[in-house]
Amino acid sequence: MMTTNFYPQQYAQTNTYRINHNYLAEQFADYDMILTKIAQVIRRGDFTLGEAVNRLEQDFAQFNGGQFGIGVGSGTDALFLSLKALDIGAGDEVITTPFTFFATIGAIVTAGAKPVFVDIAADHNIDVSKIEAAITPKTKAMMPVHWAGVPCDMSPINTLAKVHGLAIIADACHAIGASYQQKRIAHWADISCFSMHPLKNLNVWGDGGLIVTNNPDIREQLTLMRNHGLVNREQCKMWAYNSRLDTIQAVVAQHLLDNKMSHINQQRLANAVWLDKALCEIPQITLPPRAANQQNVYHLYMARFEHRDDLQRFLQHKNIDAKIHYPIPMHLQPAALHLGHKTGDYPQAEMLAKSCLSLPIHEFVTGEELEYMVHCIREFYDS
Amino acid sequence: MKVPFVHLGAQFHTLEKQLVQAFVQVGCSGEYIQGDTVKEFELALAHLCQCSQVVSVANGTDALILALKVLNIGVGDEVITAPNSFIASAGAIAAVGASIRFADVGQDYNLDIQQVHHAITEHTKAIIAVHLTGNPVDMDALTKLTRDRGIYIIEDASQAIDAAYKGRQVGSLGDLACFSLHPLKNLGLLGDAGFIATNNVELAQRLRCLRNHGLISRDEAIEWGVNSRLDAIQAAFGCIKIKYLKQWTARFQNIAGYFHNNLNDFVLCPLSRADDKPVYHNFVVQVHQREALRHQLLDAGVETKVHYPIPLHLMPAARDLPYALGSFPVTEQQSKHIMSLPIYPELSDSKVEYIVEQVLKKIKKLKVPRIQ
């Protein structure tokens, strides 16, 4: 009956592979500290919103270079509500890339607007040189995706926004703590949308999202929209939605932000630097360029690999959970039929979908395990 | 004596050991999204609702929005609901782009089927039947009205888990039924949560897809969806709490019975059909001089609330709807007199008696005549 509930396979459990993408058990090994904090909140009867959410919103916004944070149900809801807050809907177009997660496009379509794709560049992010050609009188916003934790080239995107009067809603779901030109990522967009899904760099024990903005009007609008449009218990200013960050999840996020966030991103960076050095010598692998003016937070360590499918099987056989994020670009999804795209429309995205592979990069991957991964990759290409 | 309107901490205290154990179990498993715990809870809910299918979602509002979406209701369509409900019943209709239409309620606070009849047009696609306070709508009469018109019935059972209509569990009475498991509900979790119940396998399959980005596998989306999933950790709490629900429902009914026996001669108590099983998510009475009475009760330590003081058609959000003051006289009249008394399973007998004692005392003091 429940054929579409395929999650256990997607989040393959610890021990399925020795070197895993899922590291949640390790990350929450100190759960007793979190539980103590959660119990305090629950005894107060605080289950939705409240003090713990307020505090996280402030600290999270500041950490990402913004003034205001709004906790919501998920990263998807963050994107959807941001579009709604800017009154983007039927008849409007939003520019984004086809190399992203389903939620980016789902949010645009759910809001009633049309996703307009622009191909990606070598860094796997939107190709800024191709955006201008996609702008029409109907374009209302650009939704650059900081894919894998790599900041998009935000300076030219901001110039385009100014020239054409467009809003920037950044899909920063992968990019907690990233920075561009020495400024944290939320500085560079009108609204930045973050996810705290269990597999993100900063994660909670379920679904959760956070929106960061510097605009007080947008903040007010979003605060209303996530909570039924209520201005107080009794008055509803506008018909809206229910998308709140659970208080207990805010406690989990706060614990990680206060105690682990810097270490998580630093360790991911250190792992990536080590892998870059080892893998750049293998001719069958194409690493994305690493721009000097950016701080990539390596939500994923993704590169292009020749004979990708065989390599993935080989690595999995060697107990390494190499994953594909993702094999089918958005414009070629069955869901995108109504948009009328075809193979060849976005060649860079299509090529990446065929060749990309992500290696485990999280903070619990050891130096020995990194060496083992590189050893196995060499073994594969040598044979 | 202090009687707060809600006391969520009390229930947590009773179950703390089990709930903390669930926390640790799910926490250490690393399986936070969907998975076996969510399935197990969905099966328990399906059993409770006497339905073959349950699709858990992020909250009760999302349940309504997804129910409308899965029935392909949107721009150009009209959906009828009650103007005395919580905002979400109407908000969900607006969220899918359909037009909100209201029909006035009867003395039982639920949709007046005659009024629903008047509100039906060629554009009407569905009725959201709100079982307000956990008292079932007259579903036979409603079904008779909609059956030959191709109009769907969506039960808004957000306040009505475990209620029954003529021996049939709420949730199995329309095309789809939407429930909230918000912390304040009779079955409340430790954060936002909700679910949809149905006997329609195809609708359930599509809902499972819609709530999870439209995905049919890890890599393929068959339609653009949303993200509205019940956290595994909340499902784990649900698996524990649902075992106590029958016992809690009995306590709600027990307290309601006591209120009714002792108060109905002095204040108007809720009406229900003899063959129904309401679950009294709220115990709503009607009184004259409500605000004075509430004030005096609060002075005596008894906290009351009003569900809800402003009817939906008079909200600022409804400014563009074709309604004004006077459009729904029964709802408007009730909104001036309704008052909810504290009612929850953890309320002790002595507190229940104290509430009754204080209500009677203040009524006499203020010389408030009974509403007929």
Side-chain angles (χ1 to χ4, degrees), chain B residues 291-328:
Chain B
E291 290 315 314
L293 189 58
R294 289 187 68 209
H295 197 79
Q296 294 232 342
L297 284 169
L298 193 60
D299 284 346
V302 178
E303 190 188 5
T304 59
K305 291 215 187 279
V306 177
H307 298 92
Y308 300 94
I310 307 172
L312 294 178
H313 67 288
L314 301 178
M315 288 285 184
R319 64 186 83 78
D320 296 332
L321 298 180
Y323 305 117
L325 188 65
S327 293
F328 304 104

mmCIF file of all heavy atoms in Angstrom, chain B residues 291-328:
data_model
loop_
_atom_site.group_PDB
_atom_site.id
_atom_site.type_symbol
_atom_site.label_atom_id
_atom_site.label_comp_id
_atom_site.label_asym_id
_atom_site.label_seq_id
_atom_site.Cartn_x
_atom_site.Cartn_y
_atom_site.Cartn_z
ATOM 1 N N GLU B 291 -18.264 39.029 29.170
ATOM 2 C CA GLU B 291 -16.962 39.577 29.583
ATOM 3 C C GLU B 291 -16.913 39.827 31.088
ATOM 4 O O GLU B 291 -15.903 39.575 31.736
ATOM 5 C CB GLU B 291 -16.613 40.831 28.783
ATOM 6 C CG GLU B 291 -16.293 40.545 27.308
ATOM 7 C CD GLU B 291 -15.356 39.339 27.092
ATOM 8 O OE1 GLU B 291 -14.331 39.225 27.790
ATOM 9 O OE2 GLU B 291 -15.678 38.477 26.235
ATOM 10 N N ALA B 292 -18.033 40.294 31.650
ATOM 11 C CA ALA B 292 -18.083 40.516 33.106
ATOM 12 C C ALA B 292 -17.909 39.181 33.834
ATOM 13 O O ALA B 292 -17.158 39.074 34.803
ATOM 14 C CB ALA B 292 -19.406 41.169 33.483
ATOM 15 N N LEU B 293 -18.585 38.169 33.314
ATOM 16 C CA LEU B 293 -18.524 36.848 33.929
ATOM 17 C C LEU B 293 -17.111 36.262 33.847
ATOM 18 O O LEU B 293 -16.579 35.723 34.820
ATOM 19 C CB LEU B 293 -19.534 35.927 33.236
ATOM 20 C CG LEU B 293 -19.780 34.569 33.876
ATOM 21 C CD1 LEU B 293 -20.264 34.703 35.306
ATOM 22 C CD2 LEU B 293 -20.817 33.787 33.054
ATOM 23 N N ARG B 294 -16.511 36.367 32.677
ATOM 24 C CA ARG B 294 -15.150 35.849 32.492
ATOM 25 C C ARG B 294 -14.169 36.536 33.441
ATOM 26 O O ARG B 294 -13.292 35.910 34.013
ATOM 27 C CB ARG B 294 -14.674 36.074 31.050
ATOM 28 C CG ARG B 294 -15.364 35.187 30.024
ATOM 29 C CD ARG B 294 -14.711 35.357 28.672
ATOM 30 N NE ARG B 294 -13.358 34.824 28.663
ATOM 31 C CZ ARG B 294 -12.383 35.269 27.890
ATOM 32 N NH1 ARG B 294 -12.613 36.252 27.037
ATOM 33 N NH2 ARG B 294 -11.175 34.748 27.948
ATOM 34 N N HIS B 295 -14.388 37.838 33.589
ATOM 35 C CA HIS B 295 -13.523 38.624 34.458
ATOM 36 C C HIS B 295 -13.631 38.139 35.904
ATOM 37 O O HIS B 295 -12.631 37.928 36.583
ATOM 38 C CB HIS B 295 -13.917 40.095 34.358
ATOM 39 C CG HIS B 295 -12.862 41.005 34.873
ATOM 40 N ND1 HIS B 295 -11.744 41.337 34.152
ATOM 41 C CD2 HIS B 295 -12.743 41.613 36.077
ATOM 42 C CE1 HIS B 295 -10.978 42.123 34.870
ATOM 43 N NE2 HIS B 295 -11.566 42.308 36.053
ATOM 44 N N GLN B 296 -14.880 37.938 36.324
ATOM 45 C CA GLN B 296 -15.106 37.487 37.703
ATOM 46 C C GLN B 296 -14.563 36.076 37.920
ATOM 47 O O GLN B 296 -14.017 35.778 38.980
ATOM 48 C CB GLN B 296 -16.608 37.512 38.000
ATOM 49 C CG GLN B 296 -17.172 38.922 37.984
ATOM 50 C CD GLN B 296 -17.948 39.216 39.249
ATOM 51 O OE1 GLN B 296 -18.345 38.314 39.968
ATOM 52 N NE2 GLN B 296 -18.154 40.501 39.509
ATOM 53 N N LEU B 297 -14.719 35.240 36.909
ATOM 54 C CA LEU B 297 -14.201 33.879 37.024
ATOM 55 C C LEU B 297 -12.673 33.888 37.134
ATOM 56 O O LEU B 297 -12.088 33.147 37.916
ATOM 57 C CB LEU B 297 -14.647 33.027 35.830
ATOM 58 C CG LEU B 297 -16.102 32.560 35.864
ATOM 59 C CD1 LEU B 297 -16.514 31.953 34.526
ATOM 60 C CD2 LEU B 297 -16.328 31.549 36.990
ATOM 61 N N LEU B 298 -12.069 34.750 36.362
ATOM 62 C CA LEU B 298 -10.612 34.846 36.392
ATOM 63 C C LEU B 298 -10.149 35.301 37.781
ATOM 64 O O LEU B 298 -9.143 34.806 38.304
ATOM 65 C CB LEU B 298 -10.122 35.802 35.303
ATOM 66 C CG LEU B 298 -8.618 35.761 35.018
ATOM 67 C CD1 LEU B 298 -8.191 34.378 34.554
ATOM 68 C CD2 LEU B 298 -8.241 36.794 33.972
ATOM 69 N N ASP B 299 -10.906 36.228 38.360
ATOM 70 C CA ASP B 299 -10.585 36.675 39.729
ATOM 71 C C ASP B 299 -10.637 35.506 40.706
ATOM 72 O O ASP B 299 -9.909 35.475 41.698
ATOM 73 C CB ASP B 299 -11.567 37.764 40.187
ATOM 74 C CG ASP B 299 -11.238 39.108 39.539
ATOM 75 O OD1 ASP B 299 -10.123 39.225 38.979
ATOM 76 O OD2 ASP B 299 -12.082 40.007 39.569
ATOM 77 N N ALA B 300 -11.534 34.542 40.407
ATOM 78 C CA ALA B 300 -11.658 33.367 41.282
ATOM 79 C C ALA B 300 -10.676 32.262 40.866
ATOM 80 O O ALA B 300 -10.739 31.144 41.371
ATOM 81 C CB ALA B 300 -13.086 32.845 41.247
ATOM 82 N N GLY B 301 -9.795 32.568 39.888
ATOM 83 C CA GLY B 301 -8.770 31.608 39.486
ATOM 84 C C GLY B 301 -9.163 30.723 38.317
ATOM 85 O O GLY B 301 -8.397 29.858 37.903
ATOM 86 N N VAL B 302 -10.363 30.910 37.762
ATOM 87 C CA VAL B 302 -10.819 30.050 36.668
ATOM 88 C C VAL B 302 -10.615 30.787 35.334
ATOM 89 O O VAL B 302 -11.272 31.793 35.056
ATOM 90 C CB VAL B 302 -12.297 29.662 36.828
ATOM 91 C CG1 VAL B 302 -12.764 28.816 35.643
ATOM 92 C CG2 VAL B 302 -12.513 28.908 38.131
ATOM 93 N N GLU B 303 -9.704 30.250 34.536
ATOM 94 C CA GLU B 303 -9.402 30.891 33.250
ATOM 95 C C GLU B 303 -10.328 30.348 32.162
ATOM 96 O O GLU B 303 -10.473 29.129 32.024
ATOM 97 C CB GLU B 303 -7.946 30.622 32.875
ATOM 98 C CG GLU B 303 -7.468 31.436 31.710
ATOM 99 C CD GLU B 303 -6.070 31.024 31.214
ATOM 100 O OE1 GLU B 303 -5.521 30.035 31.723
ATOM 101 O OE2 GLU B 303 -5.579 31.688 30.305
ATOM 102 N N THR B 304 -10.964 31.236 31.415
ATOM 103 C CA THR B 304 -11.819 30.805 30.306
ATOM 104 C C THR B 304 -11.299 31.425 29.017
ATOM 105 O O THR B 304 -10.473 32.330 29.049
ATOM 106 C CB THR B 304 -13.269 31.288 30.519
ATOM 107 O OG1 THR B 304 -13.242 32.718 30.610
ATOM 108 C CG2 THR B 304 -13.879 30.689 31.766
ATOM 109 N N LYS B 305 -11.779 30.901 27.875
ATOM 110 C CA LYS B 305 -11.400 31.491 26.588
ATOM 111 C C LYS B 305 -12.622 31.571 25.700
ATOM 112 O O LYS B 305 -13.690 31.036 26.036
ATOM 113 C CB LYS B 305 -10.307 30.653 25.921
ATOM 114 C CG LYS B 305 -8.983 30.710 26.619
ATOM 115 C CD LYS B 305 -7.826 30.646 25.627
ATOM 116 C CE LYS B 305 -6.477 30.538 26.307
ATOM 117 N NZ LYS B 305 -5.964 31.830 26.768
ATOM 118 N N VAL B 306 -12.470 32.233 24.546
ATOM 119 C CA VAL B 306 -13.576 32.339 23.608
ATOM 120 C C VAL B 306 -13.127 31.767 22.267
ATOM 121 O O VAL B 306 -12.138 32.226 21.694
ATOM 122 C CB VAL B 306 -14.033 33.807 23.434
ATOM 123 C CG1 VAL B 306 -15.139 33.891 22.393
ATOM 124 C CG2 VAL B 306 -14.496 34.369 24.767
ATOM 125 N N HIS B 307 -13.825 30.728 21.806
ATOM 126 C CA HIS B 307 -13.491 30.102 20.509
ATOM 127 C C HIS B 307 -14.653 30.285 19.552
ATOM 128 O O HIS B 307 -15.558 29.485 19.556
ATOM 129 C CB HIS B 307 -13.218 28.622 20.691
ATOM 130 C CG HIS B 307 -12.050 28.321 21.578
ATOM 131 N ND1 HIS B 307 -12.159 28.121 22.927
ATOM 132 C CD2 HIS B 307 -10.724 28.196 21.289
ATOM 133 C CE1 HIS B 307 -10.956 27.867 23.440
ATOM 134 N NE2 HIS B 307 -10.076 27.905 22.475
ATOM 135 N N TYR B 308 -14.702 31.369 18.771
ATOM 136 C CA TYR B 308 -13.732 32.448 18.657
ATOM 137 C C TYR B 308 -14.526 33.744 18.679
ATOM 138 O O TYR B 308 -15.676 33.747 18.204
ATOM 139 C CB TYR B 308 -12.941 32.306 17.354
ATOM 140 C CG TYR B 308 -12.202 30.948 17.339
ATOM 141 C CD1 TYR B 308 -12.783 29.832 16.739
ATOM 142 C CD2 TYR B 308 -10.946 30.800 17.931
ATOM 143 C CE1 TYR B 308 -12.117 28.596 16.744
ATOM 144 C CE2 TYR B 308 -10.280 29.564 17.915
ATOM 145 C CZ TYR B 308 -10.876 28.477 17.330
ATOM 146 O OH TYR B 308 -10.251 27.268 17.333
ATOM 147 N N PRO B 309 -13.920 34.829 19.153
ATOM 148 C CA PRO B 309 -14.703 36.055 19.326
ATOM 149 C C PRO B 309 -15.071 36.767 18.015
ATOM 150 O O PRO B 309 -16.070 37.474 17.964
ATOM 151 C CB PRO B 309 -13.802 36.928 20.191
ATOM 152 C CG PRO B 309 -12.430 36.386 20.000
ATOM 153 C CD PRO B 309 -12.575 34.933 19.695
ATOM 154 N N ILE B 310 -14.234 36.597 16.981
ATOM 155 C CA ILE B 310 -14.526 37.279 15.706
ATOM 156 C C ILE B 310 -14.825 36.228 14.637
ATOM 157 O O ILE B 310 -13.952 35.446 14.268
ATOM 158 C CB ILE B 310 -13.339 38.149 15.236
ATOM 159 C CG1 ILE B 310 -12.917 39.112 16.354
ATOM 160 C CG2 ILE B 310 -13.693 38.907 13.955
ATOM 161 C CD1 ILE B 310 -11.634 39.870 16.053
ATOM 162 N N PRO B 311 -16.054 36.188 14.113
ATOM 163 C CA PRO B 311 -16.354 35.222 13.048
ATOM 164 C C PRO B 311 -15.460 35.475 11.831
ATOM 165 O O PRO B 311 -15.020 36.604 11.588
ATOM 166 C CB PRO B 311 -17.811 35.513 12.703
ATOM 167 C CG PRO B 311 -18.361 36.227 13.881
ATOM 168 C CD PRO B 311 -17.218 36.994 14.482
ATOM 169 N N LEU B 312 -15.187 34.414 11.082
ATOM 170 C CA LEU B 312 -14.228 34.505 9.977
ATOM 171 C C LEU B 312 -14.627 35.545 8.933
ATOM 172 O O LEU B 312 -13.772 36.238 8.394
ATOM 173 C CB LEU B 312 -14.058 33.127 9.317
ATOM 174 C CG LEU B 312 -13.421 32.057 10.206
ATOM 175 C CD1 LEU B 312 -13.337 30.724 9.475
ATOM 176 C CD2 LEU B 312 -12.031 32.499 10.660
ATOM 177 N N HIS B 313 -15.936 35.688 8.669
ATOM 178 C CA HIS B 313 -16.339 36.631 7.609
ATOM 179 C C HIS B 313 -16.167 38.075 8.040
ATOM 180 O O HIS B 313 -16.269 38.979 7.216
ATOM 181 C CB HIS B 313 -17.787 36.358 7.162
ATOM 182 C CG HIS B 313 -18.813 36.644 8.221
ATOM 183 N ND1 HIS B 313 -18.976 35.862 9.323
ATOM 184 C CD2 HIS B 313 -19.726 37.649 8.343
ATOM 185 C CE1 HIS B 313 -19.957 36.338 10.082
ATOM 186 N NE2 HIS B 313 -20.429 37.426 9.508
ATOM 187 N N LEU B 314 -15.888 38.304 9.327
ATOM 188 C CA LEU B 314 -15.680 39.672 9.805
ATOM 189 C C LEU B 314 -14.207 39.967 10.103
ATOM 190 O O LEU B 314 -13.861 41.024 10.626
ATOM 191 C CB LEU B 314 -16.533 39.917 11.056
ATOM 192 C CG LEU B 314 -18.047 39.726 10.849
ATOM 193 C CD1 LEU B 314 -18.804 39.951 12.148
ATOM 194 C CD2 LEU B 314 -18.569 40.660 9.753
ATOM 195 N N MET B 315 -13.336 39.029 9.750
ATOM 196 C CA MET B 315 -11.894 39.231 9.919
ATOM 197 C C MET B 315 -11.395 40.239 8.875
ATOM 198 O O MET B 315 -11.916 40.271 7.757
ATOM 199 C CB MET B 315 -11.139 37.907 9.684
ATOM 200 C CG MET B 315 -11.303 36.894 10.786
ATOM 201 S SD MET B 315 -10.319 37.372 12.215
ATOM 202 C CE MET B 315 -10.636 35.947 13.260
ATOM 203 N N PRO B 316 -10.342 41.005 9.222
ATOM 204 C CA PRO B 316 -9.731 41.861 8.192
ATOM 205 C C PRO B 316 -9.355 41.059 6.936
ATOM 206 O O PRO B 316 -9.466 41.566 5.820
ATOM 207 C CB PRO B 316 -8.477 42.383 8.891
ATOM 208 C CG PRO B 316 -8.773 42.313 10.353
ATOM 209 C CD PRO B 316 -9.720 41.167 10.546
ATOM 210 N N ALA B 317 -8.953 39.803 7.108
ATOM 211 C CA ALA B 317 -8.554 38.975 5.961
ATOM 212 C C ALA B 317 -9.705 38.735 4.989
ATOM 213 O O ALA B 317 -9.495 38.433 3.819
ATOM 214 C CB ALA B 317 -8.022 37.634 6.449
ATOM 215 N N ALA B 318 -10.953 38.888 5.477
ATOM 216 C CA ALA B 318 -12.123 38.561 4.649
ATOM 217 C C ALA B 318 -12.673 39.784 3.918
ATOM 218 O O ALA B 318 -13.767 39.717 3.335
ATOM 219 C CB ALA B 318 -13.209 37.944 5.531
ATOM 220 N N ARG B 319 -11.907 40.872 3.917
ATOM 221 C CA ARG B 319 -12.439 42.126 3.358
ATOM 222 C C ARG B 319 -12.899 41.995 1.910
ATOM 223 O O ARG B 319 -13.808 42.714 1.498
ATOM 224 C CB ARG B 319 -11.426 43.268 3.530
ATOM 225 C CG ARG B 319 -10.117 43.102 2.775
ATOM 226 C CD ARG B 319 -9.127 44.198 3.112
ATOM 227 N NE ARG B 319 -8.392 43.936 4.329
ATOM 228 C CZ ARG B 319 -7.359 43.089 4.444
ATOM 229 N NH1 ARG B 319 -6.935 42.398 3.386
ATOM 230 N NH2 ARG B 319 -6.740 42.910 5.572
ATOM 231 N N ASP B 320 -12.298 41.106 1.153
ATOM 232 C CA ASP B 320 -12.682 40.979 -0.257
ATOM 233 C C ASP B 320 -13.798 39.962 -0.496
ATOM 234 O O ASP B 320 -14.214 39.752 -1.637
ATOM 235 C CB ASP B 320 -11.461 40.580 -1.093
ATOM 236 C CG ASP B 320 -10.399 41.664 -1.078
ATOM 237 O OD1 ASP B 320 -10.787 42.844 -0.912
ATOM 238 O OD2 ASP B 320 -9.208 41.341 -1.208
ATOM 239 N N LEU B 321 -14.282 39.313 0.545
ATOM 240 C CA LEU B 321 -15.362 38.338 0.376
ATOM 241 C C LEU B 321 -16.714 39.060 0.386
ATOM 242 O O LEU B 321 -16.846 40.128 0.965
ATOM 243 C CB LEU B 321 -15.307 37.288 1.497
ATOM 244 C CG LEU B 321 -14.033 36.433 1.559
ATOM 245 C CD1 LEU B 321 -14.117 35.439 2.712
ATOM 246 C CD2 LEU B 321 -13.797 35.699 0.253
ATOM 247 N N PRO B 322 -17.723 38.452 -0.259
ATOM 248 C CA PRO B 322 -19.016 39.140 -0.410
ATOM 249 C C PRO B 322 -19.877 39.078 0.850
ATOM 250 O O PRO B 322 -21.050 38.728 0.783
ATOM 251 C CB PRO B 322 -19.667 38.370 -1.566
ATOM 252 C CG PRO B 322 -19.102 36.990 -1.451
ATOM 253 C CD PRO B 322 -17.709 37.149 -0.925
ATOM 254 N N TYR B 323 -19.285 39.352 1.996
ATOM 255 C CA TYR B 323 -20.032 39.261 3.254
ATOM 256 C C TYR B 323 -19.842 40.524 4.076
ATOM 257 O O TYR B 323 -18.885 41.260 3.885
ATOM 258 C CB TYR B 323 -19.563 38.047 4.062
ATOM 259 C CG TYR B 323 -19.644 36.745 3.298
ATOM 260 C CD1 TYR B 323 -18.493 36.016 3.021
ATOM 261 C CD2 TYR B 323 -20.878 36.261 2.835
ATOM 262 C CE1 TYR B 323 -18.557 34.832 2.309
ATOM 263 C CE2 TYR B 323 -20.941 35.079 2.117
ATOM 264 C CZ TYR B 323 -19.775 34.364 1.855
ATOM 265 O OH TYR B 323 -19.836 33.196 1.151
ATOM 266 N N ALA B 324 -20.763 40.740 5.000
ATOM 267 C CA ALA B 324 -20.669 41.882 5.905
ATOM 268 C C ALA B 324 -21.336 41.505 7.223
ATOM 269 O O ALA B 324 -21.876 40.402 7.358
ATOM 270 C CB ALA B 324 -21.366 43.096 5.297
ATOM 271 N N LEU B 325 -21.299 42.434 8.162
ATOM 272 C CA LEU B 325 -21.997 42.211 9.422
ATOM 273 C C LEU B 325 -23.464 41.937 9.108
ATOM 274 O O LEU B 325 -24.081 42.674 8.344
ATOM 275 C CB LEU B 325 -21.857 43.454 10.307
ATOM 276 C CG LEU B 325 -22.362 43.316 11.746
ATOM 277 C CD1 LEU B 325 -21.546 42.299 12.522
ATOM 278 C CD2 LEU B 325 -22.331 44.663 12.458
ATOM 279 N N GLY B 326 -24.001 40.855 9.640
ATOM 280 C CA GLY B 326 -25.388 40.498 9.336
ATOM 281 C C GLY B 326 -25.505 39.337 8.375
ATOM 282 O O GLY B 326 -26.576 38.744 8.237
ATOM 283 N N SER B 327 -24.410 38.986 7.701
ATOM 284 C CA SER B 327 -24.469 37.896 6.717
ATOM 285 C C SER B 327 -24.792 36.553 7.373
ATOM 286 O O SER B 327 -25.502 35.728 6.797
ATOM 287 C CB SER B 327 -23.130 37.759 5.985
ATOM 288 O OG SER B 327 -22.896 38.884 5.179
ATOM 289 N N PHE B 328 -24.269 36.331 8.563
ATOM 290 C CA PHE B 328 -24.478 35.046 9.246
ATOM 291 C C PHE B 328 -24.931 35.289 10.682
ATOM 292 O O PHE B 328 -24.140 35.218 11.624
ATOM 293 C CB PHE B 328 -23.191 34.201 9.179
ATOM 294 C CG PHE B 328 -22.739 34.002 7.762
ATOM 295 C CD1 PHE B 328 -21.659 34.716 7.259
ATOM 296 C CD2 PHE B 328 -23.440 33.148 6.911
ATOM 297 C CE1 PHE B 328 -21.269 34.573 5.933
ATOM 298 C CE2 PHE B 328 -23.056 32.998 5.583
ATOM 299 C CZ PHE B 328 -21.973 33.715 5.091
#
